[in-house]
Amino acid sequence: MHTRPSPCRTRARSPRRTRPTVARLALAPLVSLGLLVSACSPMGSTASAGDSAGTVLAALPRETPSALAPYYGQRLHWRSCGVPGFQCATMKAPLDYADPGAGDVRLAVARKRATGRGRALGSLLVNPGGPGGSAVGYLQQYAGVGYPAGIRARYDMVAMDPRGVAHSEPVECLDGRQMDAYTEADSTPDSQEERDALVTAYRKFAESCGAHSARLLRHMSTAEAARDMDILRAVLGDPKLNYVGASYGTYLGATYAGLFPERVGRLVLDGAMDPALDARSINLGQTAGFETAFQAFAKDCVQQSDCPLGGSGTTPAQVGDRLKAFFRQLDADPLPAGDKDGRQLGEALATTGVIAAMYDQGTWEQLREALTSAMEEDDGAGLLALSDSYYERDAEGRYSNLMMANAAVNCLDLPPAFNDAQQVEKDLPEFEKASPVFGESLAWASLNCAYWPVRATGEPHRIRAEGAAPIVVVGTTRDPATPYPWARSLTRQLASARLLTYVGDGHTAYGRGSTCIDSAIDTYLLHGTPPAIGKRCS
């Protein structure tokens, strides 16, 4: 999301011996200066407008166009990745599907071969979200070693970094020092001068992306990435696509189903986005979602002995007021953070750090410790570390291209949420109502696509995927980044979808520790049997 941009991604989990969690990278889609808040999906409070969009994504012809035959017929040359057990290859796809002769884009692919006995089920493609999260990194660090052994025994585990992401001709914009300045920009401007500075930051980011990555920026849409996935399916020798997508990965997977319904195998869409929403609605829905997550954190925090925001009997509203007061204090007087590059903890980075912890309740303890250090010991290092993790900034000051790819995809997929600062100011009350704690920052974050150098090619639409095999949509009731109503809306849109509900906290559900959820998804992936209608787990 954003306190800058907020991505739709799952948080990458540590490999688990028993059951993993699915994620990136699954941060949600906000796109602003700090968090990725832009459009992972689309409209109005947390209520979904999923059935209101009149446009339906049309399926592509079943016959592969002759101009694409060389891509579908290519052979991958697998080599060692340097990571034990994994192989890597490079796949070519047309830069422009409307003009396949205009050049190629080279896409990084990785796999881990099925490890067990029994009938092989082909390939299982995974994507952790973003947009902008590295699927290859997710496979090597988590899915390929942490997915249930039964899944890894029967499937070749496969990932492809989408065009413009990580190892697939990554979009480039700002360097490390420039990104530091961008992420530190004041996202709650109090004066015309500060509003102008924020707009300038967005403009500079957009212009830099246009200057350094002009070739790719017009061809990073989700629809194009989905078409790349179909080429991969073919070159892997799979008649149908089996896929697990988290967060933004659900939008990518649903788009694939809409374009190629007859090629849908077993699709799991965990932490679903709603393609029928516009960018403003997506950002507003995420704002309310993060408030819901914060309320859950606040209730838990005050029951802990180390909560710096209040004790037993303190209401969530009071917790929120204390956190906002702390943010205001940082706006005026940033804290030292022990950073070798001289960065201090200001309001923008602190807000990003708190939002980052809302993705997974397993991070709440770390957040309490970081807040305690900052509020009681004037040490901002803990919150800065959470923010750096969110932005994928390493100790040497280098950033992955997550934030850059996130904006490139979001700003191409949907028209901007706001066109100028005046529109943001008009809608501030609605965003602040949705989240008294984060609303102002996330409203301004929604301005990031206004200055993008490439005009959006997508629009809100519904996806039917008529004729597709059963698809499993997973929604978490208190998901901060992809609110539960989005999962319900996507389920209603897809002709063959089954909704699997997780009653709980956090972003995405598979691998988070619910035996009920994991068993239902494993059964579907191994046997093709979707969950019972209306199945709910906790």
Side-chain angles (χ1 to χ4, degrees):
M1 131 187 173
H2 182 179
T3 21
R4 244 34 132 260
S6 187
C8 259
R9 54 181 197 181
T10 49
R11 303 285 292 176
R13 299 158 171 67
S14 315
R16 55 178 186 180
R17 295 177 191 274
T18 52
R19 200 107 240 159
T21 283
V22 183
R24 159 192 135 246
L25 288 172
L27 289 186
L30 277 128
V31 185
S32 164
L33 289 185
L35 298 172
L36 302 166
V37 105
S38 98
C40 256
S41 109
M43 177 177 163
S45 77
T46 50
S48 175
D51 293 330
S52 65
T55 304
V56 176
L57 182 64
L60 291 170
R62 294 193 180 198
E63 294 297 322
T64 300
S66 59
L68 297 180
Y71 296 102
Y72 275 81
Q74 68 185 292
R75 298 189 62 179
L76 298 183
H77 300 286
W78 296 100
R79 61 189 184 278
S80 171
C81 293
V83 180
F86 292 87
Q87 298 173 308
C88 290
T90 300
M91 189 188 86
K92 292 182 180 179
L95 175 67
D96 183 355
Y97 278 92
D99 183 11
D104 300 334
V105 59
R106 298 169 63 85
L107 306 175
V109 181
R111 74 176 178 186
K112 186 177 185 183
R113 302 305 295 266
T115 58
R117 299 176 180 178
R119 184 173 66 87
L121 295 175
S123 306
L124 179 63
L125 187 65
V126 296
N127 184 282
S134 173
V136 169
Y138 173 71
L139 176 73
Q140 294 174 342
Q141 297 166 22
Y142 172 69
V145 293
Y147 263 40
I151 301 295
R152 292 183 284 117
R154 303 283 297 282
Y155 283 102
D156 288 346
M157 301 294 295
V158 179
M160 177 172 65
D161 282 345
R163 49 180 60 205
V165 173
H167 306 289
S168 293
E169 299 192 18
V171 165
E172 298 179 357
C173 301
L174 304 177
D175 63 26
R177 289 287 187 175
Q178 291 169 330
M179 278 297 296
D180 282 345
Y182 180 66
T183 60
E184 293 169 17
D186 188 347
S187 56
T188 57
D190 304 312
S191 65
Q192 187 60 50
E193 182 180 7
E194 290 183 350
R195 285 190 288 275
D196 291 344
L198 183 58
V199 167
T200 298
Y202 283 130
R203 286 188 184 277
K204 181 177 180 180
F205 181 86
E207 290 169 358
S208 180
C209 292
H212 292 97
S213 298
R215 175 177 179 268
L216 266 178
L217 287 192
R218 299 180 192 279
H219 300 289
M220 283 190 60
S221 70
T222 296
E224 288 165 308
R227 298 188 70 171
D228 296 341
M229 286 166 51
D230 194 55
I231 294 177
L232 178 60
R233 172 203 59 77
V235 300
L236 291 172
D238 294 315
K240 293 180 181 284
L241 180 76
N242 302 308
Y243 175 83
V244 177
S247 196
Y248 163 79
T250 68
Y251 182 40
L252 182 58
T255 299
Y256 180 90
L259 294 174
F260 306 101
E262 75 283 355
R263 297 174 191 169
V264 168
R266 298 169 187 176
L267 261 64
V268 176
L269 308 179
D270 184 14
M273 290 180 52
D274 181 358
L277 297 177
D278 61 33
R280 177 187 175 278
S281 300
I282 293 176
N283 290 357
L284 187 57
Q286 279 193 329
T287 298
F290 278 95
E291 182 65 22
T292 297
F294 178 75
Q295 294 278 319
F297 165 75
K299 291 176 183 177
D300 178 79
C301 185
V302 298
Q303 301 302 317
Q304 310 300 324
S305 60
D306 61 344
C307 179
L309 297 169
S312 180
T314 307
T315 67
Q318 290 171 324
V319 171
D321 288 343
R322 292 176 184 180
L323 183 61
K324 283 189 66 177
F326 173 61
F327 286 160
R328 286 194 295 270
Q329 178 182 329
L330 291 176
D331 192 23
D333 188 16
L335 289 178
D339 181 65
K340 69 181 184 65
D341 294 317
R343 292 179 303 154
Q344 293 184 304
L345 181 74
E347 180 183 18
L349 293 176
T351 304
T352 301
V354 173
I355 286 179
M358 295 299 101
Y359 282 92
D360 188 340
Q361 65 270 36
T363 316
W364 289 358
E365 180 180 0
Q366 182 182 353
L367 176 59
R368 292 197 307 273
E369 293 173 354
L371 285 170
T372 298
S373 294
M375 299 176 74
E376 299 179 5
E377 301 166 15
D378 292 337
D379 180 1
L383 283 174
L384 183 62
L386 282 168
S387 177
D388 285 351
S389 174
Y390 183 92
Y391 286 122
E392 297 189 357
R393 181 193 192 273
D394 68 19
E396 302 305 316
R398 296 182 296 253
Y399 288 76
S400 76
N401 90 316
L402 166 64
M403 297 294 295
M404 304 164 204
N406 181 274
V409 176
N410 283 331
C411 296
L412 195 60
D413 274 352
L414 289 173
F418 298 116
N419 292 312
D420 53 44
Q422 289 70 36
Q423 290 183 352
V424 178
E425 291 171 336
K426 178 183 176 183
D427 275 12
L428 274 176
E430 191 169 1
F431 275 77
E432 291 179 309
K433 180 180 180 181
S435 175
V437 178
F438 307 119
E440 183 181 5
S441 182
L442 296 183
W444 284 105
S446 304
L447 186 61
N448 74 305
C449 287
Y451 311 104
W452 200 244
V454 176
R455 196 176 195 80
T457 57
E459 62 180 3
H461 58 272
R462 290 180 292 121
I463 300 176
R464 288 289 296 159
E466 292 279 3
I471 297 170
V472 175
V473 176
V474 187
T476 297
T477 56
R478 294 187 293 277
D479 190 318
T482 52
Y484 183 63
W486 294 0
R488 290 194 312 221
S489 178
L490 181 60
T491 303
R492 290 195 300 269
Q493 293 172 49
L494 293 169
S496 62
R498 289 281 182 89
L499 177 61
L500 175 62
T501 298
Y502 176 57
V503 181
D505 299 295
H507 182 41
T508 72
Y510 185 40
R512 282 188 173 275
S514 169
T515 301
C516 175
I517 289 287
D518 293 349
S519 176
I521 293 176
D522 293 348
T523 297
Y524 169 70
L525 289 174
L526 291 171
H527 305 291
T529 305
I533 295 174
K535 186 173 181 64
R536 295 171 70 86
C537 298
S538 59

